[in-house]
Amino acid sequence: MPTDKKWLFTLILTALLSLTLLLSTFSTTPSTPSPANLRRDLNYPPAFAYYISGSSGDSERLFRLLLSVYHPRNRYLLHIGTDGSDEERRKLGSLVNSVSVIRTFRNVDLVGKPDKTTYMGSSSMAAVLRGGSILLKVDKGWDWFVHLTALDYPLVTQDDLSHVFSSVRRDLNFIDHTSDLGWKEGQRVLPIVVDPGLYLGRRGQIFHATEKRKMPDAFKVFTGSPWVTLSRSFLEYCVLGWDNLPRTLLMFSSNIVLSQEVYFHSVICNSPEFSNTTVNNDLRYMVWDNPPKMEPVFLNISDYKQMVQSGAAFARQFAKDEAVLDMIDEKILKREGNRVTPGAWCTGRRSWFTDPCLQWGDVNSLKPGKHAKKFKESMSNLLYDWKTQSNQCIL
């Protein structure tokens, strides 16, 4: 081989070796699996159990939402209703299984046999209770239960959320509630409705009975936002029902329009054990029409500033792939593509082509960001209101 060709061959070989060495330097091989190092008790940050539900066509939205609220310390249960196909459930399972940290910590489950849910019917409430009972069974260490849907998105990181909740009593429940039923008494509570998803085993529209009932004497009916953050102890009370109150109210609520706006609120406010653990807020940012319709308006980029200033933990509702979600990812969550939201537990090098959460260290550590400050101020105000009211449920 001529000298000049040897020199060229050596140069190319050296370049290839250098490139190989460079790529190996930025290897994204996960660090030693560390689920055994996870600690959960009052000396460590709180953990959350997320029940995340969706409908047909929501597999990608549920996956994005999961990534946005993911943390190794938490537990997650995903559910696509019966209007979704088995193929969608398999797709969601494949997406979840593609994330190495989730494969390692094994803290995400999917409901294999979906629930039949009817809009405005009590089968939706039954699905939430079933989700809560599963989370109670599969994980004994989490502190609060949070229900999200594919229309929701977080406004804080999980490090922010756990940091702020570290100063909160772990028996407190965040439930927007009131005993002033107003027009809901005649249109929601007194009419008797039948949910085919609950009684007939099929999904459809609720239908009304010809008669109405009287308001009960044995307990007082409360209503409010269906979006709740419940303590583990209260959810256990609702699921296990060691006295008759949860079961009585479950039977009463099964024939109510939108029982999710009544059940938890009425159980907690009629229970001597839990009635003073209610913080009157749902921790959500929502915008309503005037007069309000059945659902809040869809949020967009014009709502971003108000969302950030609200001090809320979550917001709803969002259209699929709404541009403001990308803003939240970039400016608040610091999340890119199909990656989980980074936290103090992520120790890998951060760049456009490497995911810092492919390597991890102490999963019990927290590093709250600047957006935790507004949420902390909001939480402090809520707790002040809670402490200064002798009985949260008399309104």
Side-chain angles (χ1 to χ4, degrees):
M1 182 183 293
T3 303
D4 56 341
K5 289 186 177 181
K6 287 182 178 180
W7 176 84
L8 181 60
F9 176 80
T10 302
L11 180 63
I12 294 173
L13 181 61
T14 302
L16 288 172
L17 290 172
S18 299
L19 179 60
T20 302
L21 180 62
L22 178 64
L23 291 175
S24 65
T25 301
F26 296 112
S27 173
T28 56
T29 302
S31 54
T32 303
S34 55
N37 296 328
L38 192 151
R39 298 288 183 267
R40 287 187 181 152
D41 59 45
L42 294 178
N43 298 314
Y44 291 91
F48 299 84
Y50 284 93
Y51 173 62
I52 305 176
S53 60
S55 303
S56 176
D58 282 340
S59 57
E60 292 180 357
R61 298 174 76 177
L62 292 175
F63 181 58
R64 178 174 184 168
L65 178 55
L66 170 66
L67 296 178
S68 72
V69 297
Y70 184 80
H71 194 286
R73 292 180 50 77
N74 295 337
R75 192 78 192 201
Y76 303 86
L77 180 65
L78 310 181
H79 175 253
I80 295 178
T82 52
D83 58 340
S85 65
D86 289 338
E87 178 59 31
E88 285 183 281
R89 278 178 275 278
R90 284 191 291 269
K91 177 182 178 181
L92 179 58
S94 296
L95 289 171
V96 170
N97 197 50
S98 70
V99 183
S100 62
V101 67
I102 295 178
R103 292 198 306 270
T104 298
F105 283 87
R106 295 183 293 180
N107 60 339
V108 180
D109 295 294
L110 280 69
V111 176
K113 185 177 180 181
D115 293 298
K116 300 176 178 65
T117 57
T118 303
Y119 181 64
M120 299 181 69
S122 54
S123 53
S124 297
M125 184 69 247
V128 175
L129 283 170
R130 182 193 178 203
S133 66
I134 293 172
L135 287 164
L136 286 169
K137 184 176 181 179
V138 300
D139 194 319
K140 300 183 183 303
W142 55 263
D143 300 287
W144 277 285
F145 170 83
V146 182
H147 177 207
L148 300 178
T149 75
L151 301 175
D152 298 311
Y153 217 66
L155 298 178
V156 293
T157 67
Q158 292 305 289
D159 276 12
D160 294 341
L161 189 72
S162 292
H163 169 71
V164 173
F165 267 86
S166 294
S167 60
V168 177
R169 271 178 40 180
R170 299 193 185 185
D171 64 335
L172 293 186
N173 296 274
F174 295 82
I175 303 182
D176 173 89
H177 63 277
T178 180
S179 60
D180 182 10
L181 302 181
W183 61 269
K184 289 185 179 181
E185 178 176 332
Q187 298 185 32
R188 298 272 182 86
V189 179
L190 296 182
I192 299 175
V193 299
V194 177
D195 182 346
L198 191 65
Y199 291 98
L200 305 179
R202 59 179 172 82
R203 191 172 183 271
Q205 298 297 319
I206 60 173
F207 53 91
H208 290 71
T210 55
E211 296 182 357
K212 290 189 176 183
R213 59 181 141 196
K214 296 179 180 180
M215 290 297 289
D217 297 324
F219 52 83
K220 193 171 186 178
V221 178
F222 285 75
T223 187
S225 169
W227 311 111
V228 295
T229 299
L230 305 178
S231 68
R232 184 185 186 96
S233 57
F234 177 62
L235 185 63
E236 285 177 333
Y237 176 66
C238 293
V239 170
L240 301 178
W242 51 79
D243 65 32
N244 286 328
L245 180 63
R247 291 188 293 272
T248 299
L249 276 160
L250 187 60
M251 289 188 291
F252 177 80
S253 301
S254 64
N255 299 116
I256 285 181
V257 179
L258 288 172
S259 60
Q260 280 182 268
E261 297 182 0
V262 172
Y263 178 69
F264 288 126
H265 317 68
S266 298
V267 172
I268 200 166
C269 283
N270 285 276
S271 169
E273 182 178 354
F274 294 101
S275 60
N276 285 326
T277 66
T278 54
V279 179
N280 201 349
N281 193 277
D282 61 9
L283 305 180
R284 264 70 169 179
Y285 177 83
M286 292 179 280
V287 176
W288 297 86
D289 288 313
N290 190 15
K293 297 180 179 179
M294 288 295 297
E295 296 285 348
V297 302
F298 282 90
L299 302 171
N300 54 45
I301 289 178
S302 66
D303 299 296
Y304 178 77
K305 184 176 180 180
Q306 289 78 14
M307 280 192 285
V308 172
Q309 294 299 317
S310 70
F314 307 96
R316 68 175 285 119
Q317 56 187 353
F318 298 96
K320 184 178 181 180
D321 297 326
E322 168 57 49
V324 72
L325 297 179
D326 295 330
M327 290 185 65
I328 295 172
D329 281 344
E330 177 186 357
K331 298 179 180 296
I332 299 178
L333 305 181
K334 310 300 181 184
R335 193 187 73 83
E336 299 177 357
N338 286 336
R339 300 177 181 178
V340 300
T341 297
W345 58 278
C346 304
T347 60
R349 186 177 185 274
R350 182 186 179 92
S351 71
W352 65 271
F353 59 87
T354 57
D355 181 356
C357 298
L358 286 177
Q359 294 180 323
W360 50 83
D362 183 6
V363 297
N364 305 300
S365 63
L366 301 176
K367 186 179 180 181
K370 64 179 183 179
H371 293 281
K373 181 179 179 181
K374 182 62 68 174
F375 181 43
K376 187 175 182 64
E377 291 174 357
S378 175
M379 180 64 75
S380 297
N381 291 333
L382 293 175
L383 295 180
Y384 176 80
D385 292 341
W386 170 74
K387 290 178 181 178
T388 55
Q389 297 184 35
S390 59
N391 192 324
Q392 296 291 315
C393 289
I394 299 177
L395 298 173

